[in-house]
Amino acid sequence: GSGWVATVIATAFTPSAGPTIAASLVSYTAGPITKFGTATYTANDPLDLTGVVPAVTATGITGDNSATWNPTIHVFVPGGQAAGVYTGVITHSVA
């Protein structure tokens, strides 16, 4: 078939008080992809998770296939940002 795309998006990271860390300061690195089946798998490693962006794509698929990976999430913390616990949501989808 034509393939599939795993996408990712993040919300801002919010503390209990004070300014948030924007999703534009969050990036994603897929890391090694464990491949099952016949396809070409590509890590897209988006630098900004503000909108829905491709994380991993599979093209040239023949038959059943799947992939697994363990991403690293990078959050750039601006200077002067308050120390504390921040909460955010990162969502994956596959189409």
Side-chain angles (χ1 to χ4, degrees):
S2 60
W4 52 260
V5 178
T7 59
V8 64
I9 187 172
T11 64
F13 283 68
T14 57
S16 56
T20 64
I21 298 174
S24 62
L25 299 176
V26 181
S27 65
Y28 178 108
T29 304
I33 300 171
T34 302
K35 307 165 188 180
F36 302 96
T38 302
T40 300
Y41 301 92
T42 304
N44 301 107
D45 297 339
L47 300 176
D48 175 347
L49 302 186
T50 302
V52 176
V53 291
V56 173
T57 58
T59 57
I61 292 173
T62 302
D64 295 338
N65 68 84
S66 64
T68 61
W69 60 94
N70 187 18
T72 301
I73 306 299
H74 306 272
V75 179
F76 174 76
V77 179
Q81 193 77 27
V85 176
Y86 287 73
T87 304
V89 177
I90 298 173
T91 304
H92 276 102
S93 299
V94 177

